[in-house]
Amino acid sequence: MKVLLLNPPGRRIYIRDYFCSKTTKSNYLFHPVDLVTLSGTLASAHEIAVLDCMAERLDESAAAARIAAFAPEVIVSLVGSVSWEEDRRFLAAQAAAGRRVLAIGDVLHEDSLQRLEQEPWLEAALHVFANADILHYLSGARDRIEDMTVRDPSGRPERILAVGRKQRKGGFRVPRPRHELFPRQGYHFSFARSQRFATVLTDYGCPYPCTFCVIGTLGFQTRPVADVLEELDALRADGVRELFFMDQTFGVVRPRALELCAAMAQRGDLSFTAFTRPDVADDEMLAAMRAAGCHTVILGVESADDALLAAYKKGYKSSVIAQAFERAKRHGLRTVGTFIIGLPQETEASLERTLDLAVALEMDFMSLNMAVPRFGTPFRAQALALGLAQREDLVMDQGGESAFLPTQTLDRGRMLALKKRMVRRFYLRPSFLWKRLTGTRSWWELSAQVKEGLALLRRNV
């Protein structure tokens, strides 16, 4: 078949990725890892094309024209809660033009039967992108599907669930992702050291139970190191040297991570950014990552409040966080701290403590995420029980353009104002600005940092 992998158009820059959707906090946009992974799987059996309307900044009419030119029989599209109304309108029009529409995204992660009942244009919903479900579905082998919501012969939605989400474990294999099908321009990454970069996934899901994060509900599986190296070598052959690893915790399976780092160090020409956890980032792991080409680590701080860290099952305390940042600096790595703010227990005092911690850690970048009740997470159940969210609320954005949730002491307006103040106070410190100015290694990197910074501040005035 002719199959199109689609990241739909939108009025704003949307990141629809890995069962999370949001607006960009500045102007960054990385490759949607769902489509990247699916590209290899689908290309093994079908003629495929990729249309990323976010990267190419296509409006609806231009996107529709490109789709018509390719004339796919099937569209496999990302959708997101942050852009749901736009997505459903655009994709309904494609279905009306006679194309089969399948979709994957956070808004379909929960209550998928209801979504299909409400949206007659939607033929099926994928719930896993790191397996062969899409091939089995298109070939009619429904008995081999692990986890999808489809329509039965009478047209009624049914959930095929042969493998439970939390039961996914062990390894998985997918054919080499077809990075060459994605646009060569249009993607921007805040921490990249060169303009061209690739987004790579070496494992799927997460073994940690953080209650506000959807990735921990997916189970956890790893790809063989040999498969990852095949992908990296194909990228190297195409001239790509900069990587963004989308693994939620690089190094969680230590022997495997060390093997991968050793192989990358042997190649000696790769540069990358990766997520990891403070309690995983010990000296051995950080040294191996640095030797492999890592220049920036993204560490989950989340909050300065140990009680909040415990309540949301982070599994470590603020003292562990401080030690990890010190180790990373000692190994010559730039650091990014991610924070989740606006949880029900949040107060002005707890936000002030979080900002104080961000400054004290001397991190190179701070990433603030607004708490949203992600579909399928324990935090969503809590927010619904507390009356802070309603089940019918489908549009949410952790990027911080708006505050989706009030807290028990702060309304949405005050929460958003405090978040914007935190961003300004962190990034406009003279010491921080001087560090960024002197820490860049090329005119391109300096220019990219300035553009990112100005875009971030425009969103937080």
Side-chain angles (χ1 to χ4, degrees):
M1 299 180 187
K2 294 183 72 173
V3 181
L4 178 69
L5 289 168
L6 175 67
N7 192 6
R11 294 190 301 269
R12 298 156 67 188
I13 300 177
Y14 299 122
I15 296 174
R16 312 172 178 96
D17 188 68
Y18 217 155
F19 305 105
C20 297
S21 64
K22 52 187 174 288
T23 55
T24 179
K25 299 188 192 75
S26 51
N27 69 343
Y28 65 81
L29 180 71
F30 42 81
H31 313 75
V33 76
D34 320 50
L35 299 189
V36 170
T37 305
L38 285 168
S39 68
T41 301
L42 280 164
S44 68
H46 300 282
E47 177 186 353
I48 75 164
V50 174
L51 182 60
D52 190 337
C53 300
M54 291 289 104
E56 297 193 45
R57 305 296 195 268
L58 300 179
D59 62 19
E60 290 191 3
S61 60
R66 290 277 294 277
I67 294 171
F70 180 63
E73 299 167 66
V74 178
I75 295 174
V76 180
S77 181
L78 298 177
V79 293
S81 63
V82 72
S83 54
W84 178 234
E85 293 305 320
E86 296 172 67
D87 297 345
R88 61 193 294 270
R89 182 181 66 248
F90 183 81
L91 293 172
Q94 292 304 312
R99 312 193 197 288
R100 300 169 63 186
V101 177
L102 287 68
I104 183 170
D106 53 3
V107 74
L108 304 175
H109 190 60
E110 183 179 274
D111 297 330
S112 57
L113 291 169
Q114 180 182 352
R115 295 288 90 75
L116 261 68
E117 287 175 353
Q118 295 170 339
E119 310 296 340
W121 54 269
L122 180 58
E123 181 177 316
L126 282 164
H127 300 305
V128 181
F129 58 85
N131 65 7
D133 276 358
I134 184 66
L135 294 183
H136 298 323
Y137 179 78
L138 293 178
S139 69
R142 293 194 177 197
D143 59 322
R144 300 181 66 185
I145 290 173
E146 294 182 359
D147 192 356
M148 285 185 69
T149 300
V150 303
R151 297 184 187 277
D152 67 20
S154 70
R156 292 173 303 193
E158 64 172 340
R159 180 74 178 265
I160 301 175
L161 183 57
V163 177
R165 292 176 183 171
K166 293 185 179 181
Q167 295 175 341
R168 301 193 68 83
K169 57 185 179 181
F172 75 97
R173 301 193 70 181
V174 291
R176 179 184 63 81
R178 300 290 299 276
H179 291 272
E180 64 273 17
L181 298 178
F182 289 76
R184 294 178 73 90
Q185 297 181 334
Y187 299 106
H188 307 277
F189 187 49
S190 306
F191 316 123
R193 289 232 150 121
S194 60
Q195 186 170 10
R196 280 195 71 196
F197 71 98
T199 305
V200 176
L201 189 72
T202 86
D203 62 35
Y204 177 82
C206 181
Y208 296 100
C210 310
T211 60
F212 51 78
C213 181
V214 67
I215 310 299
T217 71
L218 304 178
F220 180 64
Q221 295 176 291
T222 58
R223 288 174 67 195
V225 169
D227 288 8
V228 177
L229 292 174
E230 178 192 9
E231 180 179 359
L232 298 188
D233 286 340
L235 287 166
R236 292 169 64 236
D238 194 35
V240 178
R241 296 292 185 272
E242 183 73 24
L243 309 172
F244 172 35
F245 283 112
M246 275 291 289
D247 304 12
Q248 296 303 290
T249 305
F250 191 95
V252 65
V253 181
R254 179 172 296 270
R256 175 180 174 277
L258 294 175
E259 179 187 353
L260 177 59
C261 284
M264 293 173 66
Q266 188 175 36
R267 284 156 174 79
D269 58 0
L270 293 168
S271 171
F272 69 93
T273 298
F275 293 99
T276 191
R277 279 171 57 102
D279 53 351
V280 170
D282 61 15
D283 282 309
E284 181 186 29
M285 184 56 62
L286 291 172
M289 292 172 68
R290 178 67 169 154
C294 182
H295 54 73
T296 305
V297 288
I298 307 174
L299 296 161
V301 180
E302 316 310 356
S303 174
D305 191 321
D306 282 345
L308 278 178
L309 292 174
Y312 291 92
K313 297 186 178 180
K314 284 305 297 182
Y316 49 74
K317 295 184 177 181
S318 55
S319 59
V320 174
I321 294 168
Q323 293 163 9
F325 274 84
E326 181 58 38
R327 285 193 299 271
K329 285 184 287 185
R330 193 165 62 244
H331 286 278
L333 296 167
R334 295 189 305 184
T335 56
V336 184
T338 65
F339 298 81
I340 184 165
I341 60 174
L343 294 165
Q345 300 91 332
E346 195 81 81
T347 64
E348 289 199 35
S350 66
L351 288 171
E352 192 69 27
R353 290 193 298 272
T354 295
L355 179 60
D356 289 344
L357 177 61
V359 172
L361 291 174
E362 297 182 352
M363 60 183 61
D364 294 282
F365 304 92
M366 176 181 69
S367 176
L368 291 181
N369 298 296
M370 302 292 284
V372 294
R374 288 284 178 209
F375 298 104
T377 63
F379 176 55
R380 179 170 176 81
Q382 179 192 16
L384 293 173
L386 290 172
L388 299 176
Q390 303 300 317
R391 182 167 292 278
E392 60 269 20
D393 293 335
L394 300 184
V395 179
M396 60 184 84
D397 177 20
Q398 77 176 44
E401 279 285 302
S402 60
F404 181 80
L405 291 179
T407 76
Q408 292 172 330
T409 59
L410 301 170
D411 63 28
R412 296 183 185 190
R414 184 59 179 161
M415 187 64 238
L416 184 60
L418 290 169
K419 175 260 181 184
K420 291 182 176 181
R421 189 178 75 176
M422 289 177 71
V423 171
R424 295 194 302 269
R425 289 178 61 190
F426 181 86
Y427 280 104
L428 293 179
R429 293 172 295 140
S431 60
F432 174 84
L433 295 172
W434 177 250
K435 185 178 181 180
R436 293 273 53 78
L437 178 65
T438 58
T440 55
R441 296 187 176 184
S442 67
W443 281 109
W444 176 86
E445 188 179 359
L446 176 61
S447 173
Q449 294 270 311
V450 169
K451 291 177 182 177
E452 285 284 322
L454 291 175
L456 178 67
L457 291 173
R458 279 196 299 270
R459 287 167 170 79
N460 289 280
V461 294

